[in-house]
């Protein structure tokens, strides 16, 4: 049986890479995002279906759910859409940025889960399992200075998933979370810093091998292709150069002389 996934935030970055990886693994995929031109190009390249929607608008989420049901239902939901704005202190942070981050990282995820969970239940056959996998961040597990609004939103998203896992206990539904650290994508830091490309690029400057979207997508596919009785509730994925959100090594990795035997 060909499994079917809905992937949000599919127009770029991790979402786009996840659509590509799932299609390569033989999945039927519906990519969801706001930018039609990017989705059309992705569909042409991969054979995926697509649906244009702003997930902060309930009527558009409802329309997505209707489209998914009409075209074959869904076995796996990949909640990837989200984002960060600013790196200011709590005192100086923009309240509108905070509200936006909560809306896209928490409320929109809740909207999509609520809309598609009935179809996920209907997709389950004997011995099978449905998946809800959400891309959060290590920012949802470890706080750091300047991360106040993003930390708050991603901590909330992680808590929501823990509650959902309890609420569907006893059902053949896996609630999975993948929490990436530093991932070099074309838009994440650029959007965070309001289009300031120099500041965005400085985040990754001299960091040896930050993750790229394909790294995260590959792990997402592995998580949802585990045997039905195996649930990888939380996977944290970081580059080796990153120990924590606030501790990143810059420059070549090497064994410290004092730790070298011989």
């Amino acid at each position: 049986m060909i499994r079917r996934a809905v992937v949000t935030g599919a127009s770029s970055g991790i979402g786009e890479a996840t659509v590509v990886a799932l299609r390569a693994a033989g999945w039927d995929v519906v990519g969801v995002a706001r930018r039609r031109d990017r989705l059309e190009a992705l569909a042409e390249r991969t054979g995926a279906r697509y649906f244009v929607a702003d997930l902060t608008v309930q009527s558009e989420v409802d329309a997505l759910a209707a489209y998914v049901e009409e075209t074959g239902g869904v076995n796996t939901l990949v909640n990837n859409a989200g984002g960060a704005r600013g790196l200011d202190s709590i005192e100086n942070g923009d309240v509108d940025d905070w509200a936006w981050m909560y809306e896209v990282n928490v409320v929109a995820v809740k909207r999509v889960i609520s809309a598609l969970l009935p179809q996920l239940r209907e997709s389950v056959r004997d011995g099978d399992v449905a998946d809800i996998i959400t891309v959060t961040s290590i920012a949802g597990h470890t706080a750091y200075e300047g991360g106040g609004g993003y930390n708050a939103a991603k901590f909330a998203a992680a808590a929501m998933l823990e509650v959902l896992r309890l609420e569907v206990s006893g059902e053949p539904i896996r609630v999975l979370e993948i929490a990436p650290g530093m991932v070099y994508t074309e838009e994440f830091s650029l959007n965070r810093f309001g289009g300031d490309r120099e500041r965005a690029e400085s985040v990754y400057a001299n960091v040896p091998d930050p993750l790229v979207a394909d790294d995260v997508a590959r792990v997402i596919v592995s998580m949802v292709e585990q045997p039905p009785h195996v649930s990888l509730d939380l996977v944290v994925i970081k580059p080796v150069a990153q120990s924590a959100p606030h501790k990143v090594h810059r420059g070549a990795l090497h064994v410290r002389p004092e730790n070298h035997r011989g």
Side-chain angles (χ1 to χ4, degrees), residues 69-149:
E69 186 167 30
E70 290 166 4
T71 57
V74 59
N75 307 100
T76 291
L77 167 61
V78 182
N79 290 306
N80 167 71
R85 284 187 179 173
L87 199 62
D88 300 314
S89 68
I90 291 174
E91 179 182 10
N92 297 321
D94 188 316
V95 170
D96 289 338
D97 285 348
W98 279 56
W100 179 86
M101 285 187 280
Y102 197 84
E103 183 69 30
V104 300
N105 291 293
V106 184
V107 179
V109 174
K110 180 264 187 281
R111 291 181 194 273
V112 178
I113 290 172
S114 293
L116 294 184
L117 186 51
Q119 294 185 51
L120 289 164
R121 287 190 172 106
E122 290 176 6
S123 76
V124 177
R125 302 292 180 262
D126 288 345
D128 198 6
V129 67
D131 295 302
I132 298 171
I133 180 166
T134 301
V135 181
T136 60
S137 169
I138 58 172
H141 297 272
T142 303
Y144 58 93
E145 289 177 294

Side-chain angles (χ1 to χ4, degrees), residues 50 81 125 147 168 187 199 234-235 246 251 256:
Y50 69 87
R125 302 292 180 262
V168 300
E187 295 184 341
R199 190 177 181 192
L234 170 62
V235 173
H246 53 282
R256 295 189 184 94

Side-chain angles (χ1 to χ4, degrees), residues 195-210:
D196 186 335
R197 186 167 296 279
E198 184 176 352
R199 190 177 181 192
E201 290 295 328
S202 72
V203 172
Y204 311 99
N206 207 27
V207 176
D209 297 320

Side-chain angles (χ1 to χ4, degrees), residues 143-164:
Y144 58 93
E145 289 177 294
Y150 190 56
N151 283 143
K154 288 301 190 181
F155 266 83
M160 177 173 61
L161 298 175
E162 288 190 25
V163 174
L164 179 62

Side-chain angles (χ1 to χ4, degrees), residues 165-186:
R165 194 175 294 117
L166 297 173
E167 291 176 344
V168 300
S169 177
E171 299 188 63
I173 298 172
R174 299 186 294 205
V175 178
L176 312 173
E177 176 185 356
I178 182 167
M182 178 179 282
V183 184
Y184 183 67
T185 63
E186 59 186 310

